PDB file of all heavy atoms in Angstrom:
ATOM      1  N   VAL A 722      18.428  26.598   4.999  1.00  0.00           N
ATOM      2  CA  VAL A 722      19.451  26.307   3.957  1.00  0.00           C
ATOM      3  C   VAL A 722      18.911  25.827   2.623  1.00  0.00           C
ATOM      4  O   VAL A 722      19.624  25.719   1.688  1.00  0.00           O
ATOM      5  CB  VAL A 722      20.551  25.369   4.473  1.00  0.00           C
ATOM      6  CG1 VAL A 722      21.337  26.048   5.624  1.00  0.00           C
ATOM      7  CG2 VAL A 722      19.936  24.067   5.003  1.00  0.00           C
ATOM      8  N   GLY A 723      17.644  25.438   2.549  1.00  0.00           N
ATOM      9  CA  GLY A 723      17.094  24.909   1.270  1.00  0.00           C
ATOM     10  C   GLY A 723      17.367  25.814   0.133  1.00  0.00           C
ATOM     11  O   GLY A 723      17.722  25.307  -0.990  1.00  0.00           O
ATOM     12  N   PRO A 724      17.182  27.176   0.222  1.00  0.00           N
ATOM     13  CA  PRO A 724      17.407  28.063  -0.875  1.00  0.00           C
ATOM     14  C   PRO A 724      18.812  28.051  -1.461  1.00  0.00           C
ATOM     15  O   PRO A 724      19.077  28.582  -2.551  1.00  0.00           O
ATOM     16  CB  PRO A 724      16.997  29.468  -0.378  1.00  0.00           C
ATOM     17  CG  PRO A 724      16.002  29.088   0.685  1.00  0.00           C
ATOM     18  CD  PRO A 724      16.471  27.889   1.357  1.00  0.00           C
ATOM     19  N   LEU A 725      19.766  27.433  -0.690  1.00  0.00           N
ATOM     20  CA  LEU A 725      21.114  27.312  -1.293  1.00  0.00           C
ATOM     21  C   LEU A 725      21.135  26.380  -2.481  1.00  0.00           C
ATOM     22  O   LEU A 725      22.008  26.361  -3.282  1.00  0.00           O
ATOM     23  CB  LEU A 725      22.090  26.818  -0.234  1.00  0.00           C
ATOM     24  CG  LEU A 725      22.375  27.716   0.914  1.00  0.00           C
ATOM     25  CD1 LEU A 725      23.240  27.053   1.936  1.00  0.00           C
ATOM     26  CD2 LEU A 725      23.062  29.060   0.467  1.00  0.00           C
ATOM     27  N   GLY A 726      20.057  25.523  -2.624  1.00  0.00           N
ATOM     28  CA  GLY A 726      20.002  24.575  -3.690  1.00  0.00           C
ATOM     29  C   GLY A 726      19.512  25.120  -4.994  1.00  0.00           C
ATOM     30  O   GLY A 726      19.624  24.431  -6.063  1.00  0.00           O
ATOM     31  N   CYS A 727      19.026  26.422  -5.081  1.00  0.00           N
ATOM     32  CA  CYS A 727      18.744  26.957  -6.334  1.00  0.00           C
ATOM     33  C   CYS A 727      19.095  28.437  -6.461  1.00  0.00           C
ATOM     34  O   CYS A 727      20.058  28.824  -7.047  1.00  0.00           O
ATOM     35  CB  CYS A 727      17.237  26.753  -6.722  1.00  0.00           C
ATOM     36  SG  CYS A 727      16.877  27.425  -8.389  1.00  0.00           S
ATOM     37  N   GLY A 728      18.291  29.317  -5.807  1.00  0.00           N
ATOM     38  CA  GLY A 728      18.425  30.810  -5.991  1.00  0.00           C
ATOM     39  C   GLY A 728      19.851  31.252  -5.673  1.00  0.00           C
ATOM     40  O   GLY A 728      20.422  31.981  -6.531  1.00  0.00           O
ATOM     41  N   PHE A 729      20.299  30.896  -4.519  1.00  0.00           N
ATOM     42  CA  PHE A 729      21.571  31.454  -4.114  1.00  0.00           C
ATOM     43  C   PHE A 729      22.757  30.796  -4.792  1.00  0.00           C
ATOM     44  O   PHE A 729      23.811  31.402  -5.033  1.00  0.00           O
ATOM     45  CB  PHE A 729      21.717  31.326  -2.563  1.00  0.00           C
ATOM     46  CG  PHE A 729      20.746  32.238  -1.866  1.00  0.00           C
ATOM     47  CD1 PHE A 729      19.859  31.688  -0.906  1.00  0.00           C
ATOM     48  CD2 PHE A 729      20.660  33.582  -2.079  1.00  0.00           C
ATOM     49  CE1 PHE A 729      18.927  32.506  -0.247  1.00  0.00           C
ATOM     50  CE2 PHE A 729      19.811  34.405  -1.416  1.00  0.00           C
ATOM     51  CZ  PHE A 729      18.938  33.862  -0.522  1.00  0.00           C
ATOM     52  N   VAL A 730      22.673  29.467  -5.113  1.00  0.00           N
ATOM     53  CA  VAL A 730      23.739  28.853  -5.846  1.00  0.00           C
ATOM     54  C   VAL A 730      23.704  29.288  -7.319  1.00  0.00           C
ATOM     55  O   VAL A 730      24.820  29.424  -7.914  1.00  0.00           O
ATOM     56  CB  VAL A 730      23.647  27.316  -5.763  1.00  0.00           C
ATOM     57  CG1 VAL A 730      22.623  26.726  -6.699  1.00  0.00           C
ATOM     58  CG2 VAL A 730      25.012  26.663  -5.940  1.00  0.00           C
ATOM     59  N   THR A 731      22.546  29.626  -7.862  1.00  0.00           N
ATOM     60  CA  THR A 731      22.523  30.182  -9.189  1.00  0.00           C
ATOM     61  C   THR A 731      23.209  31.547  -9.295  1.00  0.00           C
ATOM     62  O   THR A 731      24.046  31.804 -10.116  1.00  0.00           O
ATOM     63  CB  THR A 731      21.054  30.291  -9.686  1.00  0.00           C
ATOM     64  OG1 THR A 731      20.484  29.025  -9.790  1.00  0.00           O
ATOM     65  CG2 THR A 731      20.990  31.039 -11.041  1.00  0.00           C
ATOM     66  N   GLY A 732      22.893  32.439  -8.342  1.00  0.00           N
ATOM     67  CA  GLY A 732      23.438  33.768  -8.382  1.00  0.00           C
ATOM     68  C   GLY A 732      24.949  33.733  -8.128  1.00  0.00           C
ATOM     69  O   GLY A 732      25.719  34.346  -8.853  1.00  0.00           O
ATOM     70  N   SER A 733      25.303  33.063  -7.090  1.00  0.00           N
ATOM     71  CA  SER A 733      26.762  32.967  -6.698  1.00  0.00           C
ATOM     72  C   SER A 733      27.544  32.251  -7.722  1.00  0.00           C
ATOM     73  O   SER A 733      28.656  32.663  -8.165  1.00  0.00           O
ATOM     74  CB  SER A 733      26.951  32.311  -5.295  1.00  0.00           C
ATOM     75  OG  SER A 733      26.476  31.028  -5.321  1.00  0.00           O
ATOM     76  N   GLY A 734      27.036  31.142  -8.255  1.00  0.00           N
ATOM     77  CA  GLY A 734      27.739  30.319  -9.197  1.00  0.00           C
ATOM     78  C   GLY A 734      27.959  31.018 -10.481  1.00  0.00           C
ATOM     79  O   GLY A 734      28.941  30.851 -11.226  1.00  0.00           O
TER      80      GLY A 734
END
Side-chain angles (χ1 to χ4, degrees):
V722 294
L725 293 177
C727 183
F729 293 124
V730 81
T731 294
S733 62

